[in-house]
Amino acid sequence: MKRILLLSLTVVAVAFIFTACNQTAKNKAMVKKELIGTHKGKEVFLITLTNKAGNVIKLTNFGARLTWIEVPDKEGEKDNITFGFDTFESIINGDPYFGSVVGRYANRIAKGKFTLDGVEYSLALNNGPNTLHGGPGGWHSVVWETGAIEKTKEPTVVFTLKSPDMEEGYPGNMDIKVVYTWTDNNEIVIDYSSTTDKKTVLNITNHAYFNLHGAGHGDILDHQLVIKAASFVPVDSNLIPTGELRPVAGIPMDFTTPHTVGERIGENYEQLILGKGYDHTYVLDNKEEVDATVYEPVSGRLMEVITDQPGVQFYTGNFLNGTMIGHGGKPYNYRSGLCLETGHFPDSPNQPEFPTTVLNPGDTFKSQTIYRFSVK
Ligand code: BGC
């Protein structure tokens, strides 16, 4: 008995010393990996990244998703500002897209069909007559490999995936790598890269929901938004692009100057009615460093979005209805979170005028998106 006690004390002491040394060495920057369960025979981990400022984000390799972003408000009070779940079961069975990497094709493909080099490909329909977010078995729903956690100065995690030829109906064996870095400046840097052995299409994004009051604390209608986009992509009643790129000047879609999300969301404007709110891709000007900002005046939290992608899907949580119960038992209600999903335009494989989403063998797709948090 005594020996067991002594052994346990020794283990605790060694673990403590290890953590402490680790913290001193890295000045508190840390990566922690915990096994939380097994899904379809694969181990699922919760990964906690702590930066030198002592702020924490959590991720899981199920869907390569972000599940917690804890940042201070202007008083220094920390809260989680993204949607997610506390337990393995709720992560696996909860909303499929909260914080996840979405692929192969984020957003909609009309009628689940597209043609490449004269060959028509058919995808599973999971959104009325369309395919949404890569189909029901898309990359949000699979367990990714949690790669060697890279020994970088700032805490990093690497997720990789092999997507087989004809997975969900898409051609080509693909290798996908997503690297999340949590910088000491409170930036989540997401680096995506991907290759294929057959011509295919790709539109990859992260589907995090944000509420800068704190997730589960009211709606996002008072958040002040800027999107540096002179035009947006109008949609039809199935949320499929009509092909037009419409200037935002003079209509309630204009966020080139700051407006609260709620100011014009209820206006009798055809696109807001079709979208049941904002659910539209903005055509980024890509002229300045920062592409979009969200500011919430009560907490003083500011989020900046920086991307090399041509578009951002601005979605105001119009389909949330409070049935998803997230961290701390809080329901995620109608319009209680917003998404800024960077990427290409919906249905590009069927829209010859849109920037191409074709990836050829021998080419490597690379892109970066940064979500930067501060207060003002
Ligand atoms: C789409 C919404 C959809 C949501 C599902 C967003 O990217 O724009 O229409 O309901 O994803 O989570």
Side-chain angles (χ1 to χ4, degrees):
M1 184 65 194
K2 263 192 185 162
R3 274 178 58 183
I4 293 176
L5 188 68
L6 194 66
L7 190 67
S8 322
L9 284 172
T10 316
V11 168
V12 170
V14 168
F16 175 77
I17 291 164
F18 176 77
T19 313
C21 291
N22 213 22
Q23 289 195 357
T24 321
K26 290 188 185 157
N27 198 5
K28 290 210 167 106
M30 278 198 307
V31 179
K32 192 168 103 191
K33 182 176 167 188
E34 292 161 87
L35 181 65
I36 55 168
T38 302
H39 181 64
K40 298 191 177 158
K42 292 194 170 159
E43 292 183 326
V44 177
F45 299 99
L46 184 68
I47 294 118
T48 305
L49 306 184
T50 307
N51 67 11
K52 281 189 191 160
N55 295 320
V56 169
I57 67 170
K58 295 182 189 179
L59 307 104
T60 168
N61 57 328
F62 177 66
R65 74 186 64 215
L66 272 164
T67 184
W68 182 268
I69 304 171
E70 191 183 310
V71 284
D73 66 9
K74 62 186 175 196
E75 311 299 338
E77 290 294 318
K78 293 183 186 184
D79 203 349
N80 164 52
I81 52 88
T82 199
F83 286 9
F85 302 99
D86 290 324
T87 63
F88 170 71
E89 285 71 28
S90 52
I91 288 174
I92 300 289
N93 301 318
D95 184 281
Y97 305 119
F98 287 177
S100 68
V101 166
V102 178
R104 293 191 189 187
Y105 203 94
N107 214 289
R108 292 170 177 82
I109 294 188
K111 302 189 175 68
K113 286 195 189 306
F114 66 94
T115 302
L116 277 180
D117 291 342
V119 179
E120 189 181 75
Y121 294 95
S122 294
L123 314 168
L125 306 181
N126 60 343
N127 182 250
N130 308 314
T131 300
L132 178 69
H133 294 333
W139 297 344
H140 60 278
S141 68
V142 296
V143 178
W144 295 52
E145 294 298 315
T146 308
I149 288 165
E150 293 180 354
K151 297 269 179 293
T152 48
K153 253 183 37 232
E154 291 167 318
T156 298
V157 64
V158 184
F159 296 122
T160 55
L161 184 68
K162 285 194 178 301
S163 169
D165 186 27
M166 298 313 289
E167 183 185 48
E168 295 294 293
Y170 295 92
N173 292 295
M174 293 189 87
D175 281 302
I176 310 101
K177 181 172 171 187
V178 178
V179 182
Y180 287 92
T181 305
W182 179 221
T183 76
D184 296 330
N185 200 22
N186 294 337
E187 297 159 312
I188 301 173
V189 181
I190 314 177
D191 286 291
Y192 303 95
S193 56
S194 188
T195 55
T196 181
D197 66 356
K198 226 190 250 175
K199 193 169 186 171
T200 192
V201 293
L202 174 69
N203 183 27
I204 191 165
T205 195
N206 179 286
H207 202 309
Y209 286 71
F210 301 98
N211 182 326
L212 300 183
H213 290 293
H217 297 297
D219 62 42
I220 42 77
L221 298 176
D222 61 350
H223 286 40
Q224 297 169 9
L225 178 69
V226 173
I227 306 179
K228 291 178 190 151
S231 56
F232 79 106
V233 180
V235 289
D236 66 15
S237 58
N238 287 316
L239 300 184
I240 294 296
T242 59
E244 180 193 356
L245 302 182
R246 189 178 299 173
V248 294
I251 55 173
M253 309 306 282
D254 188 356
F255 285 95
T256 53
T257 55
H259 288 275
T260 64
V261 171
E263 189 183 322
R264 300 159 300 173
I265 200 168
E267 282 189 18
N268 189 20
Y269 180 68
E270 164 235 6
Q271 283 297 313
L272 288 172
I273 294 165
L274 290 171
K276 301 185 169 49
Y278 296 99
D279 195 353
H280 295 86
T281 295
Y282 281 74
V283 182
L284 292 171
D285 299 340
N286 287 137
K287 284 189 193 140
E288 295 165 53
E289 192 217 358
V290 174
D291 296 291
T293 61
V294 187
Y295 176 62
E296 189 280 290
V298 180
S299 68
R301 289 193 182 95
L302 175 75
M303 180 175 84
E304 295 168 294
V305 184
I306 298 156
T307 186
D308 50 19
Q309 291 295 283
V312 64
Q313 179 79 10
F314 171 45
Y315 171 56
T316 43
N318 312 313
F319 297 111
L320 297 170
N321 58 14
T323 52
M324 281 292 157
I325 309 296
H327 290 301
K330 298 190 188 98
Y332 295 138
N333 294 322
Y334 181 58
R335 293 185 177 158
S336 66
L338 63 82
C339 302
L340 287 164
E341 304 154 55
T342 58
H344 274 255
F345 308 167
D347 200 32
S348 300
N350 295 310
Q351 300 275 354
E353 302 299 317
F354 288 179
T356 182
T357 50
V358 169
L359 183 67
N360 286 301
D363 289 346
T364 302
F365 169 86
K366 275 184 187 294
S367 92
Q368 185 179 74
T369 290
I370 301 174
Y371 295 101
R372 181 192 289 156
F373 301 93
S374 58
V375 287
K376 71 168 193 181

